[in-house]
Coordinates of all heavy atoms in Angstrom, one line a residue:
M131 N 0.0 0.8 -17.9 CA 0.2 0.9 -16.5 C 1.5 0.2 -16.1 O 1.9 -0.8 -16.7 CB -1.0 0.2 -15.7 CG -0.8 0.3 -14.2 SD -2.2 -0.3 -13.3 CE -3.5 0.8 -13.7
I132 N 2.2 0.8 -15.2 CA 3.5 0.3 -14.7 C 3.3 -0.9 -13.8 O 2.5 -0.9 -12.9 CB 4.3 1.4 -14.0 CG1 4.5 2.6 -14.9 CG2 5.6 0.9 -13.4 CD1 5.1 3.8 -14.2
N133 N 4.1 -2.0 -14.1 CA 4.0 -3.2 -13.3 C 5.0 -3.0 -12.1 O 6.2 -2.9 -12.3 CB 4.4 -4.4 -14.2 CG 4.3 -5.7 -13.4 OD1 4.9 -5.8 -12.3 ND2 3.5 -6.6 -13.9
F134 N 4.5 -3.1 -10.9 CA 5.2 -2.9 -9.7 C 6.4 -3.9 -9.6 O 7.5 -3.6 -9.3 CB 4.3 -3.0 -8.5 CG 5.1 -2.9 -7.2 CD1 5.5 -1.6 -6.7 CD2 5.3 -4.0 -6.4 CE1 6.2 -1.5 -5.6 CE2 6.0 -3.8 -5.2 CZ 6.4 -2.6 -4.8
Q135 N 6.1 -5.2 -9.9 CA 7.1 -6.2 -9.8 C 8.3 -6.0 -10.8 O 9.5 -6.2 -10.4 CB 6.5 -7.6 -10.1 CG 5.5 -8.0 -9.0 CD 6.1 -8.0 -7.6 OE1 7.3 -8.4 -7.4 NE2 5.3 -7.6 -6.6
D136 N 8.0 -5.5 -12.0 CA 9.1 -5.1 -12.9 C 10.0 -4.0 -12.4 O 11.2 -4.1 -12.5 CB 8.5 -4.8 -14.3 CG 7.9 -6.0 -15.0 OD1 8.1 -7.1 -14.6 OD2 7.1 -5.7 -15.9
V137 N 9.3 -3.0 -11.9 CA 10.1 -1.8 -11.4 C 10.9 -2.3 -10.1 O 12.1 -2.0 -10.0 CB 9.1 -0.7 -11.0 CG1 9.9 0.4 -10.3 CG2 8.5 -0.1 -12.2
L138 N 10.3 -3.1 -9.3 CA 11.0 -3.6 -8.1 C 12.2 -4.4 -8.4 O 13.3 -4.2 -7.9 CB 10.0 -4.4 -7.2 CG 10.5 -5.0 -6.0 CD1 11.1 -3.9 -5.0 CD2 9.5 -5.8 -5.3
K139 N 12.1 -5.3 -9.4 CA 13.2 -6.1 -9.8 C 14.4 -5.3 -10.3 O 15.5 -5.6 -9.9 CB 12.7 -7.1 -10.9 CG 13.7 -8.1 -11.4 CD 13.2 -9.0 -12.5 CE 14.2 -10.0 -13.0 NZ 13.6 -10.8 -14.0
K140 N 14.1 -4.3 -11.0 CA 15.1 -3.4 -11.5 C 15.8 -2.6 -10.3 O 17.0 -2.5 -10.2 CB 14.6 -2.4 -12.5 CG 15.6 -1.4 -13.1 CD 14.9 -0.4 -14.0 CE 15.9 0.7 -14.4 NZ 15.2 1.8 -15.1
E141 N 14.9 -2.0 -9.5 CA 15.4 -1.2 -8.4 C 16.2 -2.0 -7.3 O 17.1 -1.5 -6.7 CB 14.3 -0.5 -7.7 CG 13.7 0.6 -8.6 CD 14.6 1.7 -8.9 OE1 15.5 2.1 -8.1 OE2 14.4 2.3 -10.0
L142 N 15.9 -3.3 -7.2 CA 16.6 -4.1 -6.2 C 18.1 -4.4 -6.5 O 18.8 -4.8 -5.7 CB 15.9 -5.4 -6.0 CG 14.6 -5.4 -5.1 CD1 13.9 -6.7 -5.1 CD2 14.9 -4.9 -3.7
K143 N 18.4 -4.0 -7.8 CA 19.9 -4.2 -8.2 C 20.7 -3.0 -7.5 O 21.9 -3.2 -7.4 CB 20.0 -4.1 -9.7 CG 19.3 -5.3 -10.4 CD 19.4 -5.3 -11.9 CE 18.6 -6.4 -12.5 NZ 18.5 -6.3 -13.9
N144 N 20.0 -2.0 -7.1 CA 20.7 -0.9 -6.5 C 20.9 -1.2 -5.0 O 19.9 -1.4 -4.3 CB 19.9 0.4 -6.6 CG 20.4 1.6 -5.9 OD1 21.1 1.5 -4.9 ND2 20.2 2.8 -6.4
P145 N 22.1 -1.3 -4.5 CA 22.4 -1.8 -3.1 C 21.7 -0.9 -2.0 O 21.2 -1.4 -1.0 CB 23.9 -1.7 -2.9 CG 24.4 -1.7 -4.3 CD 23.4 -1.1 -5.2
E146 N 21.7 0.4 -2.3 CA 21.1 1.4 -1.3 C 19.6 1.1 -1.3 O 18.9 1.1 -0.2 CB 21.4 2.8 -1.7 CG 20.9 3.8 -0.7 CD 21.6 3.8 0.6 OE1 22.7 3.2 0.7 OE2 21.1 4.3 1.6
F147 N 18.9 1.0 -2.5 CA 17.5 0.7 -2.5 C 17.2 -0.6 -1.8 O 16.2 -0.7 -1.1 CB 17.0 0.6 -4.0 CG 15.6 0.3 -4.1 CD1 14.6 1.4 -4.1 CD2 15.1 -1.0 -4.3 CE1 13.3 1.1 -4.3 CE2 13.8 -1.3 -4.4 CZ 12.8 -0.2 -4.4
K148 N 18.0 -1.7 -2.1 CA 17.8 -3.0 -1.5 C 17.8 -2.9 0.0 O 17.0 -3.6 0.7 CB 18.8 -4.0 -2.1 CG 18.5 -5.4 -1.5 CD 19.3 -6.5 -2.2 CE 19.0 -7.8 -1.7 NZ 18.1 -8.1 -0.7
K149 N 18.8 -2.2 0.5 CA 18.9 -2.0 2.0 C 17.6 -1.5 2.6 O 17.1 -2.0 3.5 CB 20.1 -1.1 2.3 CG 20.2 -0.8 3.8 CD 21.3 0.3 4.0 CE 21.2 0.8 5.4 NZ 21.8 2.1 5.5
H150 N 17.1 -0.4 2.0 CA 15.8 0.2 2.4 C 14.6 -0.7 2.2 O 13.7 -0.8 3.0 CB 15.6 1.5 1.8 CG 16.6 2.6 2.3 ND1 16.6 3.0 3.6 CD2 17.6 3.2 1.7 CE1 17.5 3.9 3.7 NE2 18.2 4.0 2.6
Y151 N 14.6 -1.4 1.0 CA 13.5 -2.3 0.7 C 13.5 -3.5 1.7 O 12.4 -3.8 2.2 CB 13.7 -2.9 -0.7 CG 12.5 -3.8 -1.0 CD1 11.3 -3.3 -1.4 CD2 12.7 -5.2 -0.9 CE1 10.2 -4.2 -1.6 CE2 11.6 -6.0 -1.1 CZ 10.4 -5.5 -1.5 OH 9.3 -6.4 -1.8
D152 N 14.6 -4.0 2.1 CA 14.6 -5.1 3.1 C 14.1 -4.6 4.4 O 13.5 -5.4 5.1 CB 16.1 -5.6 3.3 CG 16.6 -6.4 2.1 OD1 15.7 -6.8 1.2 OD2 17.8 -6.6 2.0
E153 N 14.2 -3.4 4.7 CA 13.7 -2.8 6.0 C 12.3 -2.4 5.9 O 11.5 -2.6 6.8 CB 14.5 -1.6 6.3 CG 14.3 -1.1 7.7 CD 15.3 0.0 8.1 OE1 16.3 0.2 7.5 OE2 15.0 0.8 9.1
Y154 N 11.8 -1.9 4.7 CA 10.5 -1.3 4.6 C 9.6 -2.0 3.5 O 8.6 -1.5 3.2 CB 10.5 0.2 4.4 CG 11.2 0.9 5.5 CD1 12.4 1.5 5.3 CD2 10.5 1.1 6.7 CE1 13.1 2.2 6.4 CE2 11.1 1.8 7.8 CZ 12.4 2.3 7.6 OH 13.0 3.0 8.6
G155 N 10.1 -3.0 2.9 CA 9.5 -3.6 1.7 C 8.1 -3.9 1.8 O 7.3 -3.6 0.9
K156 N 7.7 -4.7 2.8 CA 6.3 -5.1 2.9 C 5.4 -3.9 3.1 O 4.3 -3.9 2.5 CB 6.2 -6.1 4.1 CG 6.9 -7.4 3.8 CD 6.3 -8.1 2.6 CE 7.1 -9.3 2.3 NZ 6.9 -9.8 0.9
Q157 N 5.8 -2.9 3.8 CA 5.0 -1.7 4.0 C 4.8 -1.0 2.7 O 3.7 -0.6 2.4 CB 5.8 -0.8 5.0 CG 5.0 0.3 5.5 CD 5.7 1.0 6.7 OE1 6.3 0.4 7.5 NE2 5.6 2.3 6.7
L158 N 5.8 -1.0 1.8 CA 5.7 -0.4 0.5 C 4.8 -1.2 -0.4 O 4.0 -0.6 -1.1 CB 7.1 -0.2 -0.1 CG 8.0 0.8 0.5 CD1 9.4 0.7 -0.1 CD2 7.4 2.2 0.4
E159 N 4.9 -2.5 -0.3 CA 4.0 -3.3 -1.1 C 2.5 -3.1 -0.7 O 1.7 -3.0 -1.6 CB 4.4 -4.8 -0.9 CG 5.6 -5.2 -1.7 CD 5.9 -6.7 -1.5 OE1 5.0 -7.5 -1.5 OE2 7.1 -7.0 -1.4
I160 N 2.3 -3.0 0.5 CA 0.9 -2.8 1.0 C 0.4 -1.4 0.5 O -0.7 -1.2 0.0 CB 0.8 -2.9 2.5 CG1 1.0 -4.3 2.9 CG2 -0.6 -2.4 3.0 CD1 1.2 -4.6 4.4
A161 N 1.3 -0.4 0.7 CA 1.0 1.0 0.2 C 0.6 1.0 -1.3 O -0.4 1.6 -1.7 CB 2.2 1.9 0.5
Y162 N 1.4 0.3 -2.1 CA 1.2 0.2 -3.5 C -0.2 -0.5 -3.8 O -0.9 0.0 -4.7 CB 2.3 -0.5 -4.2 CG 2.1 -0.7 -5.7 CD1 2.4 0.4 -6.5 CD2 1.7 -1.8 -6.3 CE1 2.3 0.3 -7.9 CE2 1.5 -1.9 -7.6 CZ 1.8 -0.9 -8.4 OH 1.7 -1.0 -9.8
Q163 N -0.5 -1.5 -3.1 CA -1.8 -2.2 -3.3 C -2.9 -1.3 -3.0 O -3.9 -1.3 -3.7 CB -1.8 -3.5 -2.5 CG -0.9 -4.6 -3.0 CD -1.1 -5.8 -2.2 OE1 -2.2 -6.2 -1.8 NE2 0.1 -6.5 -1.9
I164 N -2.8 -0.5 -1.9 CA -3.9 0.4 -1.5 C -4.1 1.5 -2.6 O -5.2 1.8 -3.1 CB -3.6 1.1 -0.2 CG1 -3.7 0.0 0.9 CG2 -4.6 2.2 0.1 CD1 -3.2 0.5 2.3
L165 N -3.0 2.0 -3.1 CA -3.0 3.0 -4.2 C -3.7 2.4 -5.4 O -4.5 3.1 -6.0 CB -1.6 3.5 -4.5 CG -1.4 4.4 -5.7 CD1 -2.1 5.7 -5.5 CD2 0.1 4.6 -6.0
M166 N -3.3 1.2 -5.8 CA -3.9 0.6 -7.0 C -5.4 0.3 -6.9 O -6.1 0.5 -7.8 CB -3.1 -0.7 -7.4 CG -1.7 -0.4 -7.9 SD -1.6 0.5 -9.4 CE -1.3 2.2 -8.9
L167 N -5.8 -0.1 -5.7 CA -7.2 -0.4 -5.4 C -8.0 0.9 -5.6 O -9.0 1.0 -6.2 CB -7.4 -1.0 -4.0 CG -7.1 -2.4 -3.9 CD1 -7.1 -2.8 -2.4 CD2 -8.2 -3.3 -4.6
R168 N -7.4 2.0 -5.0 CA -8.1 3.3 -5.0 C -8.2 3.8 -6.4 O -9.3 4.3 -6.8 CB -7.4 4.3 -4.1 CG -8.1 5.6 -4.0 CD -7.4 6.6 -3.1 NE -6.0 6.9 -3.5 CZ -5.7 7.8 -4.6 NH1 -6.7 8.3 -5.3 NH2 -4.5 8.0 -4.9
K169 N -7.1 3.7 -7.2 CA -7.2 4.2 -8.5 C -8.1 3.4 -9.4 O -8.8 3.9 -10.3 CB -5.8 4.3 -9.1 CG -4.9 5.4 -8.5 CD -3.6 5.5 -9.2 CE -2.8 6.7 -8.7 NZ -3.2 7.9 -9.3
K170 N -8.1 2.1 -9.2 CA -9.0 1.2 -10.0 C -10.4 1.5 -9.8 O -11.2 1.5 -10.7 CB -8.7 -0.3 -9.6 CG -9.5 -1.3 -10.4 CD -9.1 -2.7 -10.0 CE -9.9 -3.7 -10.8 NZ -9.6 -5.1 -10.3
R171 N -10.8 1.9 -8.5 CA -12.1 2.3 -8.2 C -12.4 3.8 -8.5 O -13.5 4.3 -8.2 CB -12.4 2.0 -6.7 CG -12.3 0.6 -6.3 CD -13.2 -0.3 -7.0 NE -13.4 -1.6 -6.4 CZ -12.6 -2.6 -6.1 NH1 -11.3 -2.4 -6.4 NH2 -12.9 -3.7 -5.6
K172 N -11.4 4.5 -9.0 CA -11.6 5.9 -9.4 C -12.0 6.7 -8.2 O -12.9 7.6 -8.3 CB -12.5 6.1 -10.6 CG -12.0 5.5 -11.9 CD -13.0 5.7 -13.0 CE -12.5 5.2 -14.3 NZ -11.8 4.1 -14.6
M173 N -11.4 6.4 -7.1 CA -11.7 7.1 -5.8 C -10.6 8.0 -5.4 O -9.4 7.7 -5.6 CB -11.9 6.0 -4.7 CG -12.3 6.6 -3.4 SD -12.4 5.2 -2.1 CE -13.8 4.3 -2.7
S174 N -10.9 9.2 -5.0 CA -9.9 10.2 -4.6 C -9.4 9.8 -3.2 O -10.0 9.1 -2.4 CB -10.4 11.6 -4.6 OG -11.4 11.7 -3.5
Q175 N -8.2 10.4 -2.8 CA -7.7 10.2 -1.5 C -8.7 10.7 -0.4 O -9.0 10.1 0.6 CB -6.4 10.9 -1.3 CG -5.2 10.2 -1.9 CD -3.9 10.8 -1.7 OE1 -3.8 12.0 -1.2 NE2 -2.8 10.1 -2.0
M176 N -9.4 11.9 -0.8 CA -10.3 12.5 0.1 C -11.5 11.5 0.3 O -12.0 11.4 1.4 CB -10.8 13.8 -0.4 CG -11.8 14.5 0.5 SD -11.1 14.9 2.1 CE -10.2 16.4 1.7
Q177 N -12.0 10.9 -0.8 CA -13.2 10.0 -0.6 C -12.8 8.8 0.2 O -13.6 8.4 1.1 CB -13.6 9.5 -2.0 CG -14.3 10.6 -2.8 CD -14.4 10.2 -4.3 OE1 -13.5 9.6 -4.9 NE2 -15.6 10.5 -4.8
L178 N -11.6 8.3 0.0 CA -11.2 7.1 0.9 C -11.1 7.6 2.3 O -11.5 6.9 3.2 CB -9.9 6.5 0.3 CG -9.3 5.3 1.1 CD1 -10.4 4.2 1.2 CD2 -8.0 4.8 0.5
A179 N -10.5 8.7 2.5 CA -10.3 9.3 3.9 C -11.7 9.4 4.6 O -11.8 9.0 5.8 CB -9.6 10.6 3.9
R180 N -12.7 9.9 3.9 CA -14.0 10.0 4.5 C -14.6 8.7 4.9 O -15.2 8.5 5.9 CB -15.0 10.7 3.5 CG -14.7 12.2 3.4 CD -15.8 12.9 2.5 NE -15.4 14.3 2.3 CZ -15.4 14.8 1.1 NH1 -15.7 14.2 0.0 NH2 -15.0 16.1 1.0
R181 N -14.4 7.7 4.0 CA -14.9 6.3 4.3 C -14.2 5.7 5.5 O -14.8 4.9 6.2 CB -14.8 5.4 3.0 CG -15.4 6.0 1.8 CD -16.8 5.5 1.4 NE -17.1 4.1 1.6 CZ -17.2 3.1 0.7 NH1 -16.9 3.4 -0.5 NH2 -17.6 1.9 1.0
L182 N -12.9 6.0 5.6 CA -12.1 5.5 6.7 C -12.2 6.3 8.0 O -11.6 6.0 9.0 CB -10.6 5.4 6.4 CG -10.2 4.2 5.5 CD1 -8.8 4.3 5.1 CD2 -10.5 2.9 6.3
K183 N -12.9 7.5 7.9 CA -13.1 8.4 9.0 C -11.7 8.9 9.4 O -11.4 8.9 10.6 CB -13.9 7.8 10.1 CG -15.3 7.5 9.7 CD -16.0 6.9 10.9 CE -17.5 6.7 10.6 NZ -17.9 5.8 9.6
T184 N -10.9 9.4 8.5 CA -9.6 9.9 8.7 C -9.4 11.1 7.8 O -10.3 11.5 7.1 CB -8.5 8.8 8.6 OG1 -7.3 9.3 9.1 CG2 -8.4 8.4 7.1
K185 N -8.2 11.6 7.8 CA -7.8 12.8 7.0 C -7.1 12.3 5.7 O -6.5 11.3 5.6 CB -6.8 13.7 7.8 CG -7.4 14.3 9.0 CD -6.4 15.1 9.7 CE -7.0 15.7 11.0 NZ -6.0 16.5 11.7
Q186 N -7.3 13.2 4.7 CA -6.6 12.9 3.4 C -5.1 12.8 3.5 O -4.5 11.9 2.9 CB -7.0 14.0 2.4 CG -6.4 13.9 1.0 CD -5.0 14.5 1.0 OE1 -4.7 15.5 1.6 NE2 -4.1 13.9 0.2
S187 N -4.5 13.5 4.4 CA -3.1 13.5 4.6 C -2.7 12.1 5.2 O -1.6 11.6 4.8 CB -2.6 14.6 5.6 OG -3.3 14.5 6.8
N188 N -3.5 11.4 5.9 CA -3.2 10.1 6.4 C -3.2 9.1 5.2 O -2.4 8.2 5.2 CB -4.2 9.6 7.4 CG -4.1 10.3 8.7 OD1 -3.0 10.9 9.0 ND2 -5.1 10.4 9.5
I189 N -4.2 9.3 4.3 CA -4.2 8.4 3.1 C -2.9 8.6 2.3 O -2.3 7.7 1.8 CB -5.5 8.7 2.2 CG1 -6.7 8.5 3.0 CG2 -5.5 7.8 1.0 CD1 -6.9 7.1 3.7
A190 N -2.5 9.9 2.1 CA -1.3 10.1 1.4 C -0.1 9.5 2.0 O 0.8 8.9 1.3 CB -1.0 11.7 1.3
R191 N 0.0 9.5 3.4 CA 1.1 8.8 4.1 C 1.0 7.3 3.9 O 2.0 6.6 3.7 CB 1.0 9.1 5.6 CG 1.9 10.3 5.9 CD 2.1 10.4 7.4 NE 0.9 10.4 8.3 CZ 0.1 11.5 8.4 NH1 0.4 12.6 7.8 NH2 -0.9 11.4 9.2
M192 N -0.2 6.7 3.9 CA -0.4 5.3 3.7 C 0.1 4.9 2.3 O 0.9 3.9 2.2 CB -1.9 4.9 3.7 CG -2.5 4.9 5.1 SD -4.3 4.4 4.9 CE -4.8 4.8 6.5
E193 N -0.3 5.7 1.3 CA 0.1 5.3 -0.1 C 1.6 5.6 -0.4 O 2.1 5.1 -1.4 CB -0.8 6.1 -1.0 CG -2.2 5.6 -1.0 CD -3.1 6.3 -2.0 OE1 -2.7 7.3 -2.6 OE2 -4.3 5.9 -2.1
S194 N 2.2 6.4 0.4 CA 3.7 6.6 0.2 C 4.5 5.7 1.0 O 5.8 5.7 1.0 CB 4.0 8.1 0.5 OG 3.9 8.3 1.9
G195 N 3.9 4.8 1.8 CA 4.6 3.8 2.6 C 5.2 4.4 3.8 O 6.1 3.8 4.4
Q196 N 4.7 5.5 4.3 CA 5.2 6.2 5.5 C 4.4 5.9 6.7 O 4.4 6.7 7.6 CB 5.3 7.7 5.2 CG 6.3 8.0 4.1 CD 6.3 9.5 3.8 OE1 5.8 10.3 4.6 NE2 6.9 9.9 2.7
Q197 N 3.6 4.9 6.7 CA 2.7 4.6 7.8 C 2.7 3.1 8.0 O 2.5 2.3 7.1 CB 1.3 5.1 7.6 CG 0.4 4.9 8.8 CD -0.9 5.7 8.6 OE1 -0.8 6.8 8.1 NE2 -2.0 5.2 9.1
N198 N 2.8 2.7 9.3 CA 2.6 1.3 9.6 C 1.1 1.0 9.7 O 0.3 1.9 10.0 CB 3.2 0.9 11.0 CG 4.7 0.8 10.9 OD1 5.2 0.2 9.9 ND2 5.4 1.3 11.9
F199 N 0.7 -0.2 9.4 CA -0.8 -0.5 9.3 C -1.1 -1.5 10.4 O -0.4 -2.5 10.6 CB -1.1 -1.1 7.9 CG -0.8 -0.3 6.8 CD1 0.4 -0.4 6.1 CD2 -1.7 0.7 6.4 CE1 0.7 0.4 5.0 CE2 -1.4 1.5 5.3 CZ -0.3 1.4 4.6
T200 N -2.2 -1.3 11.0 CA -2.8 -2.3 11.9 C -3.6 -3.2 11.1 O -4.1 -2.8 10.0 CB -3.7 -1.6 13.0 OG1 -4.8 -1.0 12.4 CG2 -2.9 -0.6 13.8
T201 N -3.9 -4.4 11.6 CA -4.8 -5.3 10.9 C -6.2 -4.7 10.8 O -6.9 -5.0 9.9 CB -4.8 -6.7 11.5 OG1 -5.0 -6.6 12.9 CG2 -3.4 -7.4 11.3
D202 N -6.6 -4.0 11.8 CA -7.9 -3.4 11.9 C -8.0 -2.4 10.7 O -9.0 -2.4 10.0 CB -8.1 -2.7 13.2 CG -9.5 -2.1 13.3 OD1 -10.5 -2.8 13.1 OD2 -9.6 -0.9 13.6
T203 N -7.0 -1.5 10.5 CA -7.1 -0.6 9.4 C -7.1 -1.3 8.0 O -7.8 -0.9 7.2 CB -5.8 0.4 9.5 OG1 -5.9 1.1 10.7 CG2 -5.8 1.4 8.3
L204 N -6.2 -2.3 7.9 CA -6.2 -3.1 6.6 C -7.6 -3.7 6.4 O -8.0 -3.7 5.2 CB -5.1 -4.1 6.7 CG -3.7 -3.5 6.7 CD1 -2.7 -4.7 6.8 CD2 -3.4 -2.8 5.4
Q205 N -8.2 -4.2 7.4 CA -9.5 -4.9 7.2 C -10.6 -3.8 6.8 O -11.4 -4.1 5.9 CB -10.0 -5.6 8.5 CG -11.3 -6.4 8.3 CD -11.1 -7.4 7.2 OE1 -10.3 -8.3 7.3 NE2 -11.9 -7.3 6.1
K206 N -10.5 -2.6 7.4 CA -11.4 -1.6 7.0 C -11.2 -1.2 5.5 O -12.2 -1.0 4.8 CB -11.2 -0.3 7.9 CG -11.8 -0.5 9.3 CD -11.5 0.7 10.1 CE -11.9 0.5 11.6 NZ -11.6 1.6 12.4
I207 N -10.0 -1.1 5.1 CA -9.7 -0.8 3.7 C -10.2 -1.9 2.8 O -10.8 -1.6 1.8 CB -8.2 -0.6 3.5 CG1 -7.7 0.7 4.2 CG2 -7.8 -0.5 2.0 CD1 -6.2 0.9 4.3
A208 N -10.0 -3.1 3.2 CA -10.5 -4.3 2.4 C -12.0 -4.3 2.3 O -12.5 -4.5 1.2 CB -10.0 -5.6 3.0
D209 N -12.7 -3.9 3.4 CA -14.1 -3.8 3.4 C -14.6 -2.7 2.4 O -15.6 -2.9 1.7 CB -14.7 -3.6 4.8 CG -14.5 -4.8 5.7 OD1 -14.2 -5.9 5.2 OD2 -14.6 -4.6 6.9
I210 N -13.9 -1.6 2.5 CA -14.3 -0.5 1.6 C -14.2 -0.9 0.1 O -15.1 -0.6 -0.7 CB -13.5 0.8 1.9 CG1 -13.9 1.4 3.2 CG2 -13.6 1.8 0.7 CD1 -12.9 2.4 3.7
F211 N -13.2 -1.6 -0.2 CA -13.0 -2.0 -1.6 C -13.6 -3.4 -1.9 O -13.4 -3.9 -3.1 CB -11.5 -2.0 -2.0 CG -10.9 -0.6 -2.0 CD1 -9.9 -0.3 -1.1 CD2 -11.3 0.3 -2.8 CE1 -9.3 1.0 -1.1 CE2 -10.8 1.6 -2.9 CZ -9.7 1.9 -2.0
R212 N -14.2 -4.0 -1.0 CA -14.9 -5.3 -1.1 C -13.9 -6.3 -1.7 O -14.2 -7.0 -2.7 CB -16.1 -5.1 -2.1 CG -17.2 -4.2 -1.5 CD -18.4 -4.2 -2.3 NE -19.4 -3.3 -1.8 CZ -20.1 -2.4 -2.5 NH1 -20.0 -2.4 -3.8 NH2 -20.9 -1.6 -1.9
V213 N -12.8 -6.4 -1.0 CA -11.8 -7.4 -1.3 C -11.5 -8.2 0.0 O -11.7 -7.7 1.1 CB -10.5 -6.8 -1.9 CG1 -10.8 -6.2 -3.3 CG2 -9.8 -5.9 -1.0
D214 N -10.9 -9.4 -0.2 CA -10.5 -10.1 1.0 C -9.1 -9.7 1.4 O -8.2 -9.4 0.6 CB -10.4 -11.6 0.6 CG -11.7 -12.2 0.4 OD1 -12.7 -11.8 1.0 OD2 -11.8 -13.2 -0.5
L215 N -8.9 -9.6 2.7 CA -7.6 -9.3 3.3 C -7.0 -10.7 3.7 O -7.6 -11.5 4.4 CB -7.7 -8.5 4.6 CG -6.4 -8.3 5.4 CD1 -5.4 -7.5 4.5 CD2 -6.7 -7.5 6.7
I216 N -5.8 -11.0 3.1 CA -5.2 -12.2 3.4 C -3.8 -11.9 4.0 O -3.0 -11.2 3.3 CB -5.0 -13.1 2.1 CG1 -6.4 -13.4 1.6 CG2 -4.2 -14.3 2.4 CD1 -6.4 -14.0 0.2
V217 N -3.5 -12.4 5.2 CA -2.2 -12.2 5.8 C -1.7 -13.6 6.1 O -2.4 -14.5 6.6 CB -2.4 -11.4 7.1 CG1 -1.0 -11.3 7.8 CG2 -3.0 -10.1 6.9
K218 N -0.5 -13.9 5.7 CA 0.0 -15.2 5.9 C 1.5 -15.2 6.2 O 2.2 -14.2 5.7 CB -0.3 -16.2 4.7 CG 0.4 -15.8 3.4 CD 0.1 -16.8 2.3 CE 0.8 -16.4 1.0 NZ 0.5 -17.3 0.0
F219 N 2.0 -16.2 6.9 CA 3.4 -16.3 7.1 C 3.9 -17.4 6.2 O 3.2 -18.4 6.0 CB 3.7 -16.7 8.6 CG 3.3 -15.7 9.5 CD1 2.1 -15.7 10.1 CD2 4.2 -14.7 9.8 CE1 1.7 -14.7 11.0 CE2 3.9 -13.7 10.8 CZ 2.6 -13.7 11.4
H220 N 5.0 -17.2 5.5 CA 5.5 -18.2 4.5 C 7.0 -18.5 4.8 O 7.8 -17.5 5.0 CB 5.3 -17.6 3.1 CG 5.7 -18.5 2.0 ND1 5.0 -19.6 1.7 CD2 6.7 -18.5 1.2 CE1 5.5 -20.3 0.7 NE2 6.6 -19.6 0.4
S221 N 7.3 -19.7 4.8 CA 8.8 -20.0 5.0 C 9.4 -20.7 3.8 O 8.7 -21.1 2.9 CB 8.9 -21.0 6.2 OG 8.2 -22.2 6.0

């Protein structure tokens, strides 16, 4: 399995990638975590969509980092996968 942090470290050396990452990085990290949880549980996008009462295309957007997340949506995803949602500010 590909390690996200290893790929990220390599890609951040590219100035264009870093510019976009600085703008959308956290959104991409969340998207990646959702994708990995779904794959670990061997769940299809359609199955997750049904559980979230949404469309498969919305799950695809979530997993590609093309959607902002509300805390409500993140909590529903955490509940589906039976994991804790932890949000924190760090300085």
Side-chain angles (χ1 to χ4, degrees):
M131 184 174 290
I132 296 172
N133 183 305
F134 179 75
Q135 294 302 322
D136 291 342
V137 173
L138 180 60
K139 185 177 177 181
K140 179 182 172 193
E141 292 297 328
L142 284 172
K143 293 176 184 175
N144 176 330
E146 186 68 19
F147 180 88
K148 183 167 180 3
K149 175 186 165 199
H150 291 291
Y151 180 80
D152 288 344
E153 191 171 343
Y154 300 106
K156 293 301 174 192
Q157 192 169 319
L158 291 171
E159 286 182 37
I160 293 168
Y162 180 78
Q163 289 183 41
I164 292 169
L165 172 66
M166 290 296 100
L167 282 168
R168 184 178 62 76
K169 288 187 176 276
K170 184 178 179 182
R171 299 301 198 296
K172 296 179 173 45
M173 185 183 290
S174 70
Q175 287 183 344
M176 183 62 79
Q177 290 169 318
L178 180 56
R180 285 185 188 131
R181 305 261 325 256
L182 281 174
K183 297 181 174 64
T184 190
K185 297 178 181 178
Q186 178 273 329
S187 59
N188 290 336
I189 303 302
R191 269 196 303 284
M192 286 179 190
E193 291 182 354
S194 66
Q196 298 177 14
Q197 183 167 326
N198 284 319
F199 300 96
T200 65
T201 53
D202 184 52
T203 299
L204 291 174
Q205 186 59 60
K206 287 177 184 176
I207 292 168
D209 291 344
I210 287 168
F211 292 118
R212 296 185 184 137
V213 297
D214 292 328
L215 173 64
I216 299 171
V217 178
K218 66 181 180 178
F219 295 94
H220 183 71
S221 61

